[in-house]
């Protein structure tokens, strides 16, 4: 078999037709080659064979049954364009050949040769047709493969011509730049936007292309594009392409974006560095061993926990020597893969014991199979134990009731919390501004000696910490400027303020005893103690407030009872007609409803200088008969002391000084435990003494004392009113005359300064503007008297009422109450007062119901020098009652108007002053003056006519 027929050995040939040459061709192919030959006669059979057997070549005669080979050719081309088809005919023509070529025939054969030669020709043409078809298929497959590689979305591909210019770029390459790639075709590859900016050639890319143009395969890493933040890194390779003669026809450049890979590699390197630094500096220690416990890896930071270097750890032996045997169950580890939080203890190089938390994990790292991760939890363990103790301390604080208990508990629990034996608590004494040691441990006393009281001035360390509210920690307290005891054996020390309560002190004879854990625990212990001290102070204040509230409620209840009693007494006093009624009402109401045990009212007897009872009520049991109430005697009964001093006398506890006074024994025998004695004084005139006894100590608080003192004034005022009423009803009275020598008396001073004689004419009126007094001036011009009066502070205003040649009538407005008002309050009448430059005489009428000595004492107390010059008895039965009735009907304003009119000469004939003049003097309108005058006249005549039983006509009062 010739080489040319070898391609047929693996081919399938389909023969179509019934001519003899078809038979001979089939025989020849089968005899000379290993080809598979199939024979069919018709077009339909041929198409079926094409579809089912996919022959490598189809050979057909032109003339078929009812159809031609060209018809078959067209039908085959509808099925496939790659199957080689040979059309053979002995009666061919150019028209048939042309039609066959137009239908897509592979080869057209005219059978003009002898049979043998023709058969060989057909075999050769069939061979060439199959070979050509296969070559075309190979080329197409290669073209598709190249296109597939060229269009790889992961790889950017450029095709360059032999001078390095760009001829083609795939879509991936196009997406790398935002320019029109078509515009860059024909440009040198190293100047393109992928690699350069502003047409600046990229030397590295140019070198790559140059090497590839020289026939080398080159590879390089290129940054693309240069000079921007978002750069990509491209793995660039260039491969030369040669034809079959070895000539360079193109260069294919491929680029893979490895930016992410580069970043990952960079991150990996950084991560490795980070892990390396972390392993070297973290406090946890990592150890890896094999199954026998031999170390395969020792973390460089192993010294953080154990104090040994990595080499020293390896020299010690196995992991059991370091962490102890039977740390974990190997079978359990095999089942679970990891065992966590195994607590164990280990001793470091310095001999200190550490509590470790170990995690054990199965691994496969080089020769290691077990990884140990060790964490030192010594501080945490100690903190947990300290916090447990601190929790118990806080719970104990809940039951502490005093600051001293809290201080002692802090000192007792300091060793368990801080692992320090020396401690003390200073508590602040606000009264002395000192910090006083309230509790301290024996170790503190042994190291520091007796603890002194520290003044809170900020000079000592403890004082400074308290004043500045600052926690202080000293590794060596001997270096502190404010250390007060230089001989102390304390080295490490802390001073922590307990709020406003004091300072907590703790220390050790070691330098640097306070690590972070101890500092935190010390702060927590101090904060817990401060909270407990705050609670106790708060509860103490609440208890005090509760006691105060109870006391105030009790006082309020007592005050309500007192006020109720006072109201009842006021009502009784208003309704009383006599002094006896007032006295008995006061005593009865004070002792009624168990208010007080006993009450009585007494009057001072000048003859015996004792207080004589005049009214009483309550449980006396003969107390008044057992006593002689001497006035002013040392240790006298309270009534006698009040009578002597005129002040309230309070005895809060009768049992005190029991042996110094007999009255106390008698009072205690009757359950009188506290006493209050009140003077009954009104306008400096005494009406006796009211004394009240209570069955309890401190029964009279400040409020009760003040209320009862005001009651004394009210009772005295009521008694004065009774006396004034009795004085008005009394027809017999005593007239007394006094010679007064007192430069402070306003009439005496004015008479002396003006060198005149003044006579009091009445007209006293007390108002918001002062007291008004009418005086008659004799022997001196009014101008001189008015001038002298204007210089006196006691006279606020002077008005001329009437004027004569050597005198007249003046109205004086005084800045202070006049004597006549005080006398009127006691029932006496100030009748006359005459003053000249040397002497002053007063005339006063005293009703028989008023004791003369009382009025005499009032006059003597008012003036510095007083002499009684005359005294006689008067009977005013005929005149007193109408006069009193008339005055009762007048208002003060009406009396002032009529007196001013009278002394102004308004009623003289002829009139010395008109109504308009009098009105101007009074500062009122003339119609008002006339209305007042007519009203007074009507009231006067009505009084006179009523006395004689003469009827009068009623008239309306227009002005009052």
């Amino acid at each position: 078999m010739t080489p040319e027929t070898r391609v047929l050995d693996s081919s399938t040939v389909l023969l179509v037709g019934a001519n003899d040459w078809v038979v001979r061709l089939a025989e020849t192919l089968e005899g000379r080659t290993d080809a598979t030959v199939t024979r069919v006669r018709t077009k339909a059979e041929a198409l079926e064979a094409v579809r089912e057997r996919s022959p490598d070549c189809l050979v057909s005669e032109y003339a078929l049954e009812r159809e031609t080979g060209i018809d078959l050719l067209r039908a085959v081309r509808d099925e496939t364009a790659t199957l080689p088809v040979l059309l053979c005919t002995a009666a061919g023509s150019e028209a048939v050949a042309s039609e066959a070529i137009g239908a897509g025939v592979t080869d057209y054969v005219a059978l003009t040769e002898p049979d043998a030669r023709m058969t060989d020709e057909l075999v050769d043409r069939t061979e060439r047709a199959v070979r050509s078809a296969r070559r075309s298929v190979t080329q197409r497959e290669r073209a598709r493969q190249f296109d597939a590689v060229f269009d790889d979305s992961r790889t950017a591909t450029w095709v360059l011509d032999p001078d390095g210019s760009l001829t083609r770029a795939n879509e991936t390459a196009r997406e790398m730049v935002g320019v029109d790639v078509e515009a860059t075709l024909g440009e040198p590859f190293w100047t393109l936007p992928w690699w350069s900016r502003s047409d600046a050639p990229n030397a590295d890319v140019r070198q790559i292309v140059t090497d590839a143009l020289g026939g080398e395969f080159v590879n390089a890493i290129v940054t693309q594009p240069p000079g921007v933040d978002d750069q990509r890194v491209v793995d660039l390779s260039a491969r030369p392409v040669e034809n079959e003669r070895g000539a360079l026809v193109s260069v294919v450049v491929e680029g893979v974006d490895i930016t992410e890979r580069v970043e990952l590699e960079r991150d990996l390197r950084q991560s490795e560095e980070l892990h390396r630094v972390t392993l070297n500096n973290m406090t946890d220690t990592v150890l890896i061993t094999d199954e026998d416990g031999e170390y395969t890896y020792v973390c460089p930071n192993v010294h953080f926990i154990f104090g040994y270097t990595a080499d020293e750890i390896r020299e010690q032996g196995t992991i059991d020597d370091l962490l102890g045997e039977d740390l974990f169950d190997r079978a359990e580890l095999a089942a679970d893969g990891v065992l966590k939080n195994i607590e164990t203890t280990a001793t470091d190089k310095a001999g200190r014991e550490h509590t470790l938390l170990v995690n054990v994990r199965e691994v496969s790292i080089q020769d290691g199979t077990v990884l140990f991760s060790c964490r030192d939890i010594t501080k945490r363990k100690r903190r947990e134990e300290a916090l447990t103790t601190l929790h118990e301390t806080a719970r104990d604080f809940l039951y502490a009731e005093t600051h001293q208990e809290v201080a002692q508990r802090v000192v007792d629990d300091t060793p368990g919390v801080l692992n320090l034996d020396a401690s003390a608590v200073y508590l602040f004494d606000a009264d002395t501004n000192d910090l006083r040691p309230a509790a301290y441990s024996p170790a503190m006393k042994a190291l520091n000696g007796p603890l002194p009281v520290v003044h809170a001035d900020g000079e000592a360390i403890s004082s400074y910490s308290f004043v500045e509210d600052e926690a202080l920690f000293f590794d060596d307290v001997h270096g502190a400027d404010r250390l007060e005891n230089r001989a102390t054996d304390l080295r490490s020390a802390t001073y922590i303020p307990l709020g406003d309560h004091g300072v907590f002190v703790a220390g050790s004879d070691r330098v640097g005893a306070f690590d972070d854990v101890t500092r935190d625990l010390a702060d927590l212990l101090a904060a817990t103690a401060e909270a407990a001290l705050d609670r106790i102070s708060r509860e103490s204040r609440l208890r005090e407030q509760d006691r105060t509230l109870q006391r105030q409620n009790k006082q309020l209840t007592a005050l309500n009872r007192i006020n109720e009693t006072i109201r009842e007494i006021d009502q009784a006093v208003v309704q009383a007609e006599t002094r006896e009624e007032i006295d008995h009402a006061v005593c009865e109401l004070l002792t009624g409803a168990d208010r007080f045990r006993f009450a009585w009212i007494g009057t001072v007897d000048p003859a015996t200088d004792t207080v004589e009872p005049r009214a009483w009520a309550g449980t006396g049991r003969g107390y008044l008969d057992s006593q002689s109430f001497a006035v002013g005697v040392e240790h006298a009964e309270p009534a006698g002391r009040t009578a002597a001093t005129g002040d309230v006398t309070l005895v809060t506890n009768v049992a005190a000084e029991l042996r110094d006074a007999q009255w106390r024994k008698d009072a205690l025998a009757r359950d009188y435990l506290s006493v209050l004695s009140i003077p009954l004084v009104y306008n400096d005139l005494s009406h006796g003494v009211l004394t009240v006894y209570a069955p309890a100590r401190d029964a009279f608080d400040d409020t009760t004392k003040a209320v009862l003192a005001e009651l004394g004034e009210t009772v005295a005022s009521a008694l004065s009113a009774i006396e004034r009423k009795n004085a008005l009803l009394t027809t017999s009275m005593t007239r007394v005359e006094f010679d007064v020598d007192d430069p402070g008396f306003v009439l005496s001073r004015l008479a002396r300064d003006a060198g005149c004689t003044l006579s009091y004419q009445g007209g006293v009126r007390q108002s918001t503007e002062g007291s008004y007094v009418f005086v008659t001036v004799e022997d001196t011009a009014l101008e001189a008297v008015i001038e002298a009066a204007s210089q006196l502070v006691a006279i606020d205003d002077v008005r001329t009422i009437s004027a004569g040649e050597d005198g007249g009538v003046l109205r004086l407005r005084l800045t202070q109450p006049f004597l006549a008002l005080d006398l009127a309050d006691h029932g006496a009448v100030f009748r006359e007062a005459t003053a000249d430059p040397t002497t002053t005489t007063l005339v006063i009428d005293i009703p028989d119901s008023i004791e003369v000595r009382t009025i005499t004492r009032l006059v003597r107390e008012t003036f510095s020098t007083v002499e009684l010059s005359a005294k006689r008895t008067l009977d005013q039965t005929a005149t007193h009652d109408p006069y009193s009735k008339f005055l009762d009907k007048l208002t003060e304003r009406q009396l002032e108007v009529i007196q001013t009119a009278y002394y102004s000469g308004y009623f003289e004939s002829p009139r010395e002053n008109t109504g308009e003049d009098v009105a101007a003097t009074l500062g009122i309108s003339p119609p008002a003056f006339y209305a007042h005058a007519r009203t007074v006249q009507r009231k006067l005549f009505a009084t006179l006519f009523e006395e004689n039983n003469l009827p009068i006509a009623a008239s309306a009062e227009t002005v009052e």
Side-chain angles (χ1 to χ4, degrees):
M1 183 178 296
T2 63
E4 290 74 9
T5 62
R6 291 176 185 171
V7 70
L8 293 177
D9 291 342
S10 59
S11 301
T12 299
V13 180
L14 176 61
L15 301 180
V16 183
N19 287 336
D20 293 339
W21 66 265
V22 174
V23 175
R24 289 193 298 271
L25 178 59
E27 293 174 352
T28 301
L29 289 174
E30 291 174 350
R32 296 169 55 184
T33 68
D34 293 330
T36 300
V37 180
T38 302
R39 287 181 58 199
V40 296
R41 291 177 175 272
T42 65
K43 170 186 173 183
E45 292 175 339
L47 291 176
E48 182 179 358
V50 168
R51 294 188 186 105
E52 293 180 358
R53 301 177 185 180
S54 300
D56 295 313
C57 185
L58 185 149
V59 181
S60 175
E61 64 177 336
Y62 175 76
L64 299 177
E65 294 181 3
R66 296 188 297 276
E67 291 180 291
T68 65
I70 294 177
D71 294 331
L72 173 61
L73 175 61
R74 289 193 179 99
V76 169
R77 288 292 175 250
D78 290 338
E79 296 287 336
T80 175
T82 60
L83 177 64
V85 178
L86 277 69
L87 184 61
C88 303
T89 179
S93 63
E94 291 183 3
V96 173
S98 176
E99 186 179 5
I101 293 172
V105 71
T106 302
D107 195 1
Y108 177 80
V109 182
L111 301 177
T112 59
E113 296 291 333
D115 293 341
R117 293 181 58 189
M118 191 69 253
T119 300
D120 293 337
E121 177 69 17
L122 286 176
V123 171
D124 292 339
R125 289 196 176 196
T126 300
E127 172 76 16
R128 285 196 297 271
V130 172
R131 189 182 303 276
S132 176
R134 289 189 176 182
R135 185 181 301 112
S136 297
V137 168
T138 299
Q139 290 176 349
R140 285 194 299 272
E141 289 178 354
R142 289 179 178 178
R144 283 195 296 269
Q145 292 173 356
F146 177 79
D147 289 341
V149 172
F150 188 79
D151 293 331
D152 186 3
S153 59
R154 296 170 298 176
T155 305
T157 305
W158 300 266
V159 179
L160 313 181
D161 61 15
D163 63 356
S165 300
L166 179 65
T167 62
R168 186 180 178 187
N170 69 356
E171 188 62 29
T172 303
R174 293 170 182 269
E175 291 174 355
M176 282 188 175
V177 292
V179 298
D180 184 9
V181 176
E182 304 300 331
T184 63
L185 296 179
E187 298 294 330
F189 185 66
W190 50 87
T191 64
L192 297 180
W194 284 279
W195 322 112
S196 62
R197 300 185 65 189
S198 303
D199 298 329
N202 189 310
D204 294 335
V205 176
R206 183 169 187 171
Q207 185 62 46
I208 293 172
V209 175
T210 301
D211 293 342
L213 293 175
E216 298 180 16
F217 172 80
V218 290
N219 181 267
I221 304 299
V222 179
T223 301
Q224 179 270 332
V228 297
D229 295 333
D230 187 19
Q231 291 183 333
R232 284 184 289 185
V233 180
V234 180
D235 184 358
L236 204 63
S237 62
R239 182 188 308 275
V241 179
E242 300 176 348
N243 59 18
E244 61 274 8
R245 295 185 297 274
L248 180 68
V249 295
S250 63
V251 173
V252 177
V253 181
E254 294 180 338
V256 179
D257 188 346
I258 61 171
T259 305
E260 183 176 355
R261 189 183 74 188
V262 170
E263 291 176 351
L264 289 175
E265 291 176 352
R266 182 179 66 247
D267 293 343
L268 179 60
R269 288 193 297 272
Q270 292 176 350
S271 178
E272 291 175 348
E273 180 64 22
L274 176 61
H275 281 77
R276 184 163 47 253
V277 173
T278 301
L279 286 174
N280 288 335
N281 293 278
M282 70 178 184
T283 55
D284 287 3
T285 293
V286 176
L287 304 169
I288 302 177
T289 68
D290 58 17
E291 289 298 324
D292 297 329
E294 298 290 341
Y295 296 105
T296 60
Y297 174 79
V298 178
C299 185
N301 69 344
V302 68
H303 63 280
F304 283 169
I305 296 178
F306 301 99
Y308 297 104
T309 64
D311 292 338
E312 290 173 335
I313 289 291
R314 294 178 184 276
E315 292 173 359
Q316 285 188 358
T318 65
I319 192 74
D320 293 342
D321 298 322
L322 185 65
L323 300 181
E325 298 180 357
D326 301 325
L327 178 65
F328 64 96
D329 187 342
R330 190 65 182 85
E332 184 180 358
L333 176 63
D336 297 340
V338 60
L339 301 177
K340 296 183 177 180
N341 299 331
I342 303 172
E343 188 171 315
T344 187
T345 58
T347 303
D348 65 10
K349 188 175 183 179
R352 294 186 295 265
E353 188 175 83
H354 295 257
T355 301
L356 305 180
L357 205 61
V358 181
N359 291 340
V360 183
R361 181 184 301 274
E362 280 191 333
V363 296
S364 179
I365 302 176
Q366 297 179 355
D367 297 328
T369 59
V370 183
L371 182 146
F372 298 82
S373 174
C374 305
R375 173 167 295 180
D376 190 347
I377 60 169
T378 305
K379 291 184 178 180
R380 189 178 79 184
K381 194 73 174 178
R382 198 175 110 213
R383 186 193 295 266
E384 290 175 355
E385 295 172 352
L387 289 177
T388 300
T389 304
L390 188 59
H391 177 72
E392 296 174 355
T393 301
R395 184 176 56 198
D396 293 338
F397 281 163
L398 294 176
Y399 303 100
E401 296 183 356
T402 65
H403 290 177
Q404 178 66 41
E405 290 183 47
V406 173
Q408 189 62 51
R409 173 56 63 185
V410 170
V411 170
D412 292 343
D413 290 349
T414 296
V417 177
L418 304 182
N419 197 26
L420 298 174
D421 294 328
S423 62
V425 173
Y426 286 85
L427 293 180
F428 179 60
D429 187 343
D431 295 331
T432 61
N433 197 33
D434 291 328
L435 290 168
R436 299 181 178 277
Y440 52 86
S441 65
M444 175 61 79
K445 184 176 181 180
L447 292 175
N448 189 77
L451 299 179
V453 174
V454 179
H455 193 59
D457 54 6
E459 295 298 326
I461 299 179
S462 54
S463 176
Y464 178 84
S465 174
F466 174 73
V467 172
E468 299 297 330
D469 192 25
E470 180 180 353
L472 305 174
F473 289 88
F474 299 95
D475 288 334
D476 189 349
V477 74
H478 283 263
D481 296 335
R482 292 183 172 83
L483 180 63
E484 61 271 24
N485 181 11
R486 291 290 171 181
T488 182
D489 290 331
L490 280 176
R491 306 300 289 185
S492 300
T494 180
Y495 299 79
I496 305 177
L498 303 175
D500 297 331
H501 308 289
V503 177
F504 168 58
V505 182
S508 170
D509 57 355
R510 294 183 293 107
V511 175
F514 290 96
D515 55 17
D516 293 340
V517 174
T518 308
R519 288 172 181 251
D520 292 343
L521 291 173
D523 286 334
L524 283 175
L525 178 59
T528 306
E530 181 182 347
L533 294 170
D534 286 340
R535 177 188 60 80
I536 293 174
S537 296
R538 202 162 47 245
E539 291 178 352
S540 177
R541 287 194 298 270
L542 290 175
R543 287 193 295 270
E544 181 61 29
Q545 290 173 359
D546 185 58
R547 288 193 293 268
T548 301
L549 183 59
Q550 293 178 358
R551 185 169 60 252
Q552 290 174 346
N553 288 336
K554 185 177 179 180
Q555 292 173 349
L556 182 59
T557 301
L559 181 60
N560 289 336
R561 295 182 62 191
I562 288 293
N563 287 335
E564 181 181 353
T565 302
I566 297 302
R567 286 194 298 271
E568 294 176 358
I569 292 175
D570 288 341
Q571 293 176 1
V573 166
V574 170
Q575 298 173 2
E577 296 290 339
T578 65
R579 185 178 71 175
E580 289 75 13
E581 290 183 23
I582 293 176
D583 290 345
H584 285 288
V586 170
C587 293
E588 290 288 345
L589 292 173
L590 285 175
T591 56
D594 295 329
R595 293 186 176 98
F596 297 105
R597 182 62 57 87
F598 184 59
W600 65 282
I601 296 176
T603 305
V604 177
D605 186 352
T608 61
D609 205 21
T610 59
V611 181
E612 296 297 328
R614 70 173 187 255
W616 56 87
T619 307
R621 295 169 55 190
Y623 179 74
L624 297 179
D625 296 333
S626 68
Q627 300 296 317
S628 175
F629 301 96
V631 177
V633 179
E634 185 179 5
H635 302 300
E637 214 271 351
R641 277 185 274 171
T642 296
T645 62
D647 297 326
V648 175
T649 301
L650 174 62
V651 178
T652 59
N653 184 11
V654 173
E657 303 176 2
L658 184 63
R659 297 176 181 81
D660 296 336
Q662 180 60 38
W663 73 268
R664 291 179 181 266
K665 298 179 182 178
D666 295 338
L668 282 177
R670 294 164 176 80
D671 293 330
Y672 302 159
L673 300 184
S674 56
V675 186
L676 181 67
S677 186
I678 306 163
L680 304 178
V681 177
Y682 180 72
N683 282 347
D684 298 328
L685 182 63
S686 175
H687 292 276
V689 176
L690 169 63
T691 307
V692 184
Y693 302 83
R697 290 190 306 173
D698 298 316
F700 304 98
D701 56 19
D702 293 340
T703 302
T704 304
K705 178 181 175 183
V707 170
L708 291 178
E710 292 179 2
L711 174 63
E713 295 179 1
T714 302
V715 172
S717 176
L719 292 173
S720 294
I722 292 293
E723 290 181 351
R724 288 195 301 273
K725 180 179 179 181
N726 292 337
L728 291 175
L729 298 176
T730 300
T731 59
S732 178
M733 63 177 57
T734 301
R735 177 166 289 177
V736 294
E737 296 184 6
F738 296 97
D739 291 333
V740 177
D741 185 9
D742 188 345
F745 184 39
V746 61
L747 298 183
S748 300
R749 179 68 179 274
L750 181 58
R752 187 188 64 184
D753 292 350
C756 67
T757 298
L758 300 176
S759 298
Y760 167 70
Q761 298 299 326
V764 178
R765 175 176 178 265
Q766 182 71 26
S767 68
T768 56
E769 298 178 349
S771 302
Y772 292 94
V773 177
F774 293 93
V775 296
T776 301
V777 179
E778 300 176 2
D779 304 328
T780 303
L782 290 182
E783 290 77 6
V785 179
I786 294 173
E787 177 62 26
S790 65
Q791 303 299 319
L792 297 180
V793 177
I795 299 176
D796 190 47
D797 182 62
V798 181
R799 291 289 182 92
T800 300
I801 303 302
S802 65
E805 294 182 0
D806 292 325
V809 178
L810 298 177
R811 189 189 70 175
L812 307 179
R813 189 171 74 197
L814 308 180
T815 58
Q816 297 178 349
F818 195 60
L819 175 62
L821 292 176
D822 293 336
L823 293 173
D825 287 336
H826 295 86
V829 180
F830 189 59
R831 288 297 183 189
E832 298 178 12
T834 304
D836 60 29
T838 58
T839 61
T840 300
T841 301
L842 306 180
V843 178
I844 302 172
D845 290 344
I846 306 174
D848 286 350
S849 61
I850 306 299
E851 294 184 2
V852 175
R853 65 172 179 265
T854 300
I855 303 303
T856 301
R857 185 170 69 250
L858 176 61
V859 175
R860 293 185 185 279
E861 291 174 354
T862 304
F863 302 107
S864 59
T865 302
V866 177
E867 182 178 351
L868 179 62
S869 59
K871 178 180 179 182
R872 63 181 181 276
T873 302
L874 301 176
D875 186 2
Q876 296 182 332
T877 304
T879 61
H880 177 73
D881 192 52
Y883 176 71
S884 299
K885 288 183 178 181
F886 172 66
L887 291 181
D888 287 342
K889 293 179 180 180
L890 299 184
T891 65
E892 290 185 354
R893 186 61 168 169
Q894 291 168 352
L895 180 59
E896 178 189 7
V897 169
I898 207 64
Q899 283 180 321
T900 302
Y902 176 77
Y903 292 119
S904 299
Y906 174 75
F907 296 105
E908 299 294 332
S909 180
R911 288 176 175 168
E912 298 178 4
N913 285 288
T914 65
E916 287 76 7
D917 296 333
V918 177
T921 301
L922 292 169
I924 61 177
S925 65
F929 165 73
Y930 291 127
H932 281 302
R934 286 193 299 272
T935 300
V936 173
Q937 290 171 354
R938 179 183 59 76
K939 290 182 178 181
L940 175 62
F941 294 145
T943 303
L944 293 176
F945 294 154
E946 286 174 357
E947 289 298 316
N948 294 288
N949 295 321
L950 296 176
I952 61 174
S955 62
E957 295 183 3
T958 58
V959 179
E960 289 294 333

